[in-house]
Amino acid sequence: MSAVRALGYPLLVTSGALVVIAAWVPFADLDQLSALAVVAVAILVFTAYQLGLAAGVLPTGLVAQGTVRGKRVRQQHRLVSRSWLEITSGDRMVWQPVFYTPALSTLTPTDLELTAASISAGELRFYPSGRVRTTEPTGKLVDNPSRPADPPSFGPGRRLLLDTQFAVGAPVVGLLWVYVADGGTGAFVGATTVAATTFTWLSAIRGSDPS
């Protein structure tokens, strides 16, 4: 169940991005088909990489194993909002990005159990959304309240609305494509749609935090 909560939304957005790309295939010329194929392959490859990190198949860079002290912080930097586990092991501190689950919003400083393939706190398991950092993430880091409350619930609609903020630059990509490929209105609309979908997907698959 924890995997569904953490990975269900980014995988749903990934599927949506591929559907949008596929919808433009019948209207694309050869150059446009090539561009669509490149975007689709990039989405599939990076999604597979992120899933490999989440499942513990690929290393995230964590070197400590066993019981360590950790807490969740929320990073806010411009449009970026992500959840991180701030992990302390001895005199060393590292930051591990994780896919958002409601339980993160109520996680107080606690003992984390690190293995080569997982991060857990009691019955909770957390899924890495990137590699570990040895320096503090850029931007403002917000601590959880010291007293746990009921976990909030954020539906896919709200999360999608937050992630689509990154699509603001999509028209620029559309104009650039029209300029380079000498297309018309249809090419602009197609390129803008694909770019907007891709930017939204990139935010979701990197572990955006709706809290």
Side-chain angles (χ1 to χ4, degrees):
M1 181 62 71
S2 61
V4 173
R5 289 186 175 182
L7 303 177
Y9 169 74
L11 289 179
L12 180 64
V13 176
T14 300
S15 300
L18 294 174
V19 167
V20 170
I21 292 172
W24 281 106
V25 168
F27 308 100
D29 59 24
L30 187 59
D31 288 339
Q32 293 164 350
L33 281 175
S34 299
L36 291 174
V38 168
V39 174
V41 169
I43 288 175
L44 289 171
V45 169
F46 190 66
T47 298
Y49 173 76
Q50 289 293 89
L51 292 179
L53 292 176
V57 176
L58 298 176
T60 63
L62 278 176
V63 293
Q65 294 194 25
T67 302
V68 298
R69 197 67 176 167
K71 67 176 183 178
R72 177 258 187 169
V73 293
R74 180 172 61 84
Q75 175 197 21
Q76 188 65 52
H77 179 59
R78 298 173 183 168
L79 296 180
V80 174
S81 181
R82 301 178 77 185
S83 279
W84 297 73
L85 293 177
E86 189 176 88
I87 298 170
T88 303
S89 178
D91 59 353
R92 186 182 184 193
M93 182 177 290
V94 297
W95 289 264
Q96 170 68 67
V98 290
F99 284 101
Y100 178 80
T101 62
L104 281 168
S105 295
T106 60
L107 186 69
T108 55
T110 187
D111 288 336
L112 301 175
E113 187 67 27
L114 306 184
T115 69
S118 68
I119 306 171
S120 59
E123 296 182 356
L124 298 174
R125 181 176 174 183
F126 305 108
Y127 297 88
S129 62
R131 290 183 57 80
V132 127
R133 283 181 61 114
T134 56
T135 57
E136 186 175 289
T138 305
K140 182 180 180 182
L141 299 184
V142 182
D143 286 335
N144 275 4
S146 57
R147 295 183 180 181
D150 293 332
S153 178
F154 301 108
R158 171 185 164 87
R159 299 185 68 172
L160 189 61
L161 182 63
L162 294 174
D163 286 334
T164 52
Q165 296 178 93
F166 291 85
V168 66
V172 176
V173 176
L175 289 173
L176 182 61
W177 175 259
V178 170
Y179 176 77
V180 171
D182 194 24
T185 303
F188 170 76
V189 173
T192 300
T193 304
V194 171
T197 303
T198 303
F199 291 152
T200 302
W201 158 81
L202 186 59
S203 174
I205 202 64
R206 291 182 69 242
S208 60
D209 183 336
S211 65

